[in-house]
Amino acid sequence: MYEGNTLKLLRLEDGLVELVFDLNGESVNKFGRQTVGELEQALDILEQEPLSGLLVSSAKPALMVGADITEFQSFFASGEQAVKDYLAANNRNFCRLEDLAAPVVVAIDGYALGGGMELCLACDYRIMGSGGKIGLPETQLGIVPGWGGTVRLPRLVGVDTAAEWIASGRQWRADAAFKAGVVDAVVETDRLRDAALHTLAECAAGRLDYQSRRALKTSPLQLNAVEAGMAFETAKNVVSAEAGPHYPAPIAAIRVMEAAASKGRAEALAIEAEAFAQLATGTEAQALVGIFLGEQWLGRQARQWQRHDEGEVSRAAVLGAGIMGGGIAYQSALKGVPVRMKDIERKGLDQGLREANRLLTKLVEKGRLSVSEMGQALIRIEPTLSYEGFDDVDIVVEAVVENARVKKTVLAEAEQCTGDDTVLASNTSTISITELSAALQRPEKFCGMHFFNPVHAMPLVEVIRGEKSSDSTIARTVAYASRMGKKPVVVRDCAGFLVNRVLFPYFSAFAMLVRDGVDYQRVDRVMERWGWPMGPAYLLDVVGLDTAIHAEAVMAEAYPDRLTRDYVSATEALYKAGRLGQKSSGGFYDYVDDRKGRPKKQSSKAVGDIIQQSGDNESITDETIVARMMIPMITELARCLDEEVVASATEADMAMVYGTGFPPFRGGPLRWVDAIGLSRLEAMAKTLGSLGALYQLPDSLKQRVRDNQPFYSVDSAENKGGVQ
């Protein structure tokens, strides 16, 4: 009946027609402009047909992953009216689908997310395959559903369920969707089509009243004013507490549902579109969409690297157990890669196994892993005191103490016991990969693989390329990191690599603020309000003040113009006083265990005397604190791009988000600069120029200011998730 590049219409028996989504050249279906246009043409045909029923399905293993997010940046930047126009076309489609003169049943195979779920909500009945997932993830992108999700879902399942589904942005399994009333039946995938056709037959025979369902979806909510008021106030209180002040979309979604509760479909959709347009043109949505596209970009870069190595990482090993080694072994085993965990002492192995067991137990307690799956993961970890079997592994990760001499000795030993094709990787945070490779006979098979602590929680892995590291070595290490569920970013060997090189100027800025009389607790509060999960003093305590002092010395030697101090920093004073942070129950803060055994920070009376701080310099404003903390980070990132330590602005930003907890709603340091404007950055730097080299813009940034050249452009490949 009709065939386009994204969908087709097939005539079935007994007046039935099937609308099949099948986007040419892609592994998944998504609602791009072309899909929207072809759906409009298909509906033109359907409205002229004497239909007895319409089946909506997919020729791919998933129905629809949602809107084509690679299109978002361009129309978000075009203003609110352009956004509303973008929404209107598919809203007309979905309303026409909902108003067809025959019942509509959708067979949900695989995923139905975002616009895909909204398509399903416009249908009369939803039949779902047992292995599928469904959800409205828009709030995670800083927006609300824009194709009727906030309108149809609460009318189908009630305010409470709709608020939870929309505000959380979660994906839900088929059984949970059925229990919530979002779908009408769940069947095995091989029975999905037959079940959907059976449902259409029941509608045609009058045994299922699809018309009353349509009336429910297109009418005001069936609640009186008191019921609606209670439901929405409760939802707003819960969502506001969970989302926090920096993520406006979840609470906006509740307000949209509330404002539209007494309206019919057309007015309700207009309210939704207004809210979507306001959010889409705000900085939070643009940043969060940038994060999503950044993830796609990292995935593309990883796949490109993996073409350089035809092998597959099927067996791994870790040198050094303990907390870090145990965390690496746990992550490898959890993702299905067997791992030998070697240490020189049994107690180290015991500690590593306890760490892996603890992390797996937590997953079981949360219902994310079965006891059987936990057992299988533990079996994949083989503790050993020898190098036996190391000639049969694809990659070895060294995770011993941060000491160059010890690492060189251990790596040289391991090299003698591994195959010629085995990759050696060092989990080091400060020691030069090129320097470590001097101890090896096959330096081309060696690179850095820097995990962040705690391994299970931090997504980033820096893959560090030494002077002699081969492409195939980097490729295999990237492949292993990806297999472990991590986000690998390839960086060039230099002091601090990427993340620590950028983080220590930030710590230096903090030290200067405390030197200038600003209360360290106030700096923490300001930066946490700005969006960081923890302020710099708290972060230093978590890192460990001894670790920070060691890394600071390495960084100062490498970048003396910016990081050499002529005063005793607060961090150094506390370290000399024996306060090492959380590991010693006291650093900038004191620490006591809460009821769950987790360290909880408290103000310390002793710290003020140690760092000789008795008050707060209130002449330095909160805005100045943010500027003083952020400019050194920005300037160092710019230098890393100049020196090709990192290949792109996207990789630089994503590394900071995944490796340091930089606020995602700001999109990364460089996206934040684009958002505030290069000229404002220059003005802030000029006012702080007397503070020294940390606040001097490098020549490349000055040139960007002159040329008004942002780090990202709307049409750049990075801004489209790697889609050219």
Side-chain angles (χ1 to χ4, degrees):
M1 294 173 63
Y2 173 83
E3 183 167 5
N5 290 316
T6 68
L7 56 85
K8 56 191 172 186
L9 290 176
L10 303 176
R11 197 183 303 277
L12 307 179
E13 297 178 348
D14 302 324
L16 298 178
V17 172
E18 185 172 5
L19 169 61
V20 184
F21 287 94
D22 189 9
L23 179 57
N24 288 347
E26 297 281 353
S27 60
V28 294
N29 295 315
K30 49 191 173 183
F31 266 116
R33 294 179 188 272
Q34 188 176 30
T35 309
V36 172
E38 291 185 356
L39 180 56
E40 181 180 0
Q41 295 173 41
L43 287 163
D44 289 341
I45 296 170
L46 290 169
E47 288 174 342
Q48 303 303 315
E49 283 285 315
L51 289 176
S52 62
L54 177 68
L55 171 65
V56 180
S57 69
S58 169
K60 300 184 185 299
L63 176 68
M64 185 75 63
V65 296
D68 187 348
I69 297 175
T70 63
E71 296 179 349
F72 277 17
Q73 294 282 3
S74 58
F75 81 82
F76 279 17
S78 300
E80 290 188 18
Q81 189 55 51
V83 173
K84 292 177 187 177
D85 292 342
Y86 175 91
L87 297 177
N90 216 29
N91 267 323
R92 286 192 295 270
N93 283 340
F94 286 0
C95 290
R96 292 172 69 188
L97 183 69
E98 194 167 46
D99 294 340
L100 277 179
V104 181
V105 175
V106 59
I108 306 171
D109 191 10
Y111 288 95
L113 304 175
M117 177 170 167
E118 289 173 297
L119 165 72
C120 297
L121 293 176
C123 300
D124 298 313
Y125 286 89
R126 289 157 291 284
I127 314 301
M128 191 169 181
S130 58
K133 287 190 174 182
I134 191 169
L136 294 168
E138 286 85 354
T139 55
Q140 295 183 1
L141 296 176
I143 51 179
V144 296
W147 287 330
T150 67
V151 177
R152 295 183 176 95
L153 189 60
R155 286 158 175 76
L156 279 170
V157 300
V159 172
D160 293 346
T161 298
E164 182 182 11
W165 275 55
I166 294 173
S168 71
R170 284 178 53 191
Q171 297 177 16
W172 302 80
R173 297 187 313 189
D175 54 351
F178 177 71
K179 183 178 180 181
V182 175
V183 300
D184 300 292
V186 175
V187 299
E188 294 303 317
T189 301
D190 59 359
R191 295 181 51 222
L192 180 59
R193 180 182 172 81
D194 289 343
L197 288 171
H198 174 74
T199 305
L200 274 176
E202 293 293 284
C203 289
R207 288 188 286 271
L208 291 176
D209 184 6
Y210 69 92
Q211 293 288 5
S212 64
R213 286 186 158 219
R214 291 185 180 182
L216 183 70
K217 288 191 292 179
T218 56
S219 303
L221 268 173
Q222 303 299 302
L223 295 175
N224 62 41
V226 174
E227 292 170 332
M230 290 178 62
F232 285 114
E233 282 306 309
T234 300
K236 282 188 286 187
N237 290 336
V238 171
V239 170
S240 181
E242 291 183 354
H246 299 300
Y247 295 88
I251 194 69
I254 308 301
R255 290 185 175 128
V256 166
M257 289 190 282
E258 182 179 29
S262 61
K263 312 296 183 186
R265 184 179 68 186
E267 289 181 278
L269 288 172
I271 291 169
E272 179 186 79
E274 183 70 32
F276 185 107
Q278 290 177 3
L279 290 166
T281 52
T283 57
E284 293 87 358
Q286 292 176 22
L288 291 171
V289 169
I291 293 289
F292 177 88
L293 296 176
E295 286 189 0
Q296 289 190 324
W297 177 263
L298 290 188
R300 182 181 182 223
Q301 299 308 105
R303 289 189 294 274
Q304 287 183 344
W305 268 113
Q306 289 170 48
R307 294 172 189 160
H308 293 285
D309 183 36
E310 296 180 358
E312 182 182 0
V313 179
S314 57
R315 295 170 301 278
V318 176
L319 297 176
I323 298 297
M324 179 60 77
I328 296 171
Y330 152 82
Q331 193 69 31
S332 183
L334 178 67
K335 296 301 181 179
V337 181
V339 57
R340 287 181 170 86
M341 183 172 66
K342 181 189 180 301
D343 205 279
I344 59 174
E345 294 182 339
R346 174 60 61 181
K347 69 176 184 179
L349 295 177
D350 291 342
Q351 185 182 29
L353 287 171
R354 280 197 302 272
E355 177 69 3
N357 188 74
R358 181 184 70 84
L359 294 170
L360 289 165
T361 300
K362 286 178 67 175
L363 292 182
V364 171
E365 290 172 348
K366 293 178 180 179
R368 294 168 55 189
L369 205 68
S370 69
V371 174
S372 174
E373 289 169 330
M374 174 181 172
Q376 289 299 312
L378 284 172
I379 289 171
R380 295 187 193 106
I381 301 175
E382 181 184 337
T384 179
L385 294 172
S386 74
Y387 284 106
E388 184 179 353
F390 271 58
D391 58 346
D392 194 35
V393 300
D394 302 301
I395 188 168
V396 177
V397 181
E398 167 272 305
V400 301
V401 295
E402 189 74 353
N403 178 288
R405 181 182 57 80
V406 174
K407 284 183 180 290
K408 285 180 179 180
T409 300
V410 170
L411 287 164
E413 286 178 357
E415 186 181 43
Q416 297 301 312
C417 302
T418 56
D420 291 344
D421 192 47
T422 301
V423 166
L424 290 178
S426 176
N427 175 47
T428 176
S429 57
T430 59
I431 303 171
S432 166
I433 295 303
T434 301
E435 177 191 346
L436 291 176
S437 72
L440 301 175
Q441 296 177 4
R442 298 189 296 273
E444 72 280 358
K445 303 300 294 185
F446 176 65
C447 68
M449 192 178 190
H450 180 203
F451 292 85
F452 290 76
N453 198 22
V455 174
H456 69 279
M458 300 299 285
L460 179 67
V461 170
E462 285 182 311
V463 178
I464 305 128
R465 182 166 197 160
E467 289 180 5
K468 296 184 179 180
S469 304
S470 68
D471 284 352
S472 62
T473 293
I474 300 301
R476 186 172 303 177
T477 309
V478 166
Y480 184 44
S482 299
R483 182 86 184 270
M484 294 172 79
K486 297 301 181 183
K487 308 293 185 183
V489 172
V490 178
V491 301
R492 189 172 63 79
D493 188 20
C494 66
F497 314 131
L498 175 64
V499 171
N500 281 336
R501 176 170 169 178
V502 174
L503 190 59
F504 274 85
Y506 174 85
F507 286 148
S508 290
F510 166 66
M512 292 170 67
L513 280 166
V514 179
R515 176 202 65 185
D516 294 343
V518 181
D519 181 9
Y520 67 91
Q521 295 181 86
R522 179 184 167 207
V523 178
D524 272 8
R525 289 193 299 270
V526 169
M527 298 313 293
E528 287 165 9
R529 284 199 299 268
W530 197 75
W532 284 87
M534 57 184 71
Y538 188 13
L539 179 57
L540 282 163
D541 276 359
V542 171
V543 169
L545 303 194
D546 53 342
T547 302
I549 289 295
H550 167 76
E552 184 183 74
V554 173
M555 300 295 292
E557 182 179 358
Y559 313 110
D561 61 320
R562 304 188 290 281
L563 297 179
T564 299
R565 285 187 283 102
D566 59 0
Y567 62 94
V568 176
S569 70
T571 306
E572 188 176 2
L574 292 170
Y575 168 69
K576 288 179 178 178
R579 295 180 68 89
L580 306 183
Q582 281 188 355
K583 67 179 72 176
S584 68
S585 298
F588 281 93
Y589 299 92
D590 289 335
Y591 293 89
V592 295
D593 287 347
D594 65 12
R595 287 179 297 178
K596 294 185 178 181
R598 297 172 301 194
K600 180 180 179 181
K601 70 181 176 73
Q602 297 178 336
S603 295
S604 174
K605 295 179 180 178
V607 171
D609 294 333
I610 295 171
I611 66 176
Q612 298 180 348
Q613 187 170 57
S614 58
D616 179 46
N617 184 349
E618 296 181 358
S619 65
I620 297 178
T621 66
D622 290 357
E623 184 178 5
T624 300
I625 289 173
V626 171
R628 285 183 61 164
M629 291 297 298
M630 289 308 305
I631 288 173
M633 180 174 280
I634 301 300
T635 56
E636 203 63 38
L637 264 185
R639 292 185 184 96
C640 287
L641 284 173
D642 296 343
E643 298 169 21
E644 298 182 346
V645 172
V646 64
S648 67
T650 292
E651 285 157 283
D653 272 345
M654 297 302 289
M656 297 310 295
V657 171
Y658 286 143
T660 71
F662 185 91
F665 70 91
R666 298 193 186 276
L670 302 180
R671 280 195 187 274
W672 173 68
V673 169
D674 281 358
I676 66 170
L678 288 160
S679 58
R680 183 178 169 193
L681 176 74
E682 181 185 43
M684 290 191 298
K686 282 182 177 178
T687 63
L688 301 172
S690 61
L691 292 169
L694 273 181
Y695 296 90
Q696 306 302 316
L697 299 189
D699 291 341
S700 63
L701 263 181
K702 293 177 182 176
Q703 189 63 48
R704 282 186 182 274
V705 173
R706 287 193 293 270
D707 298 342
N708 193 26
Q709 180 188 2
F711 288 97
Y712 298 88
S713 66
V714 170
D715 296 323
S716 70
E718 290 171 276
N719 237 352
K720 295 182 177 181
V723 178
Q724 300 285 0

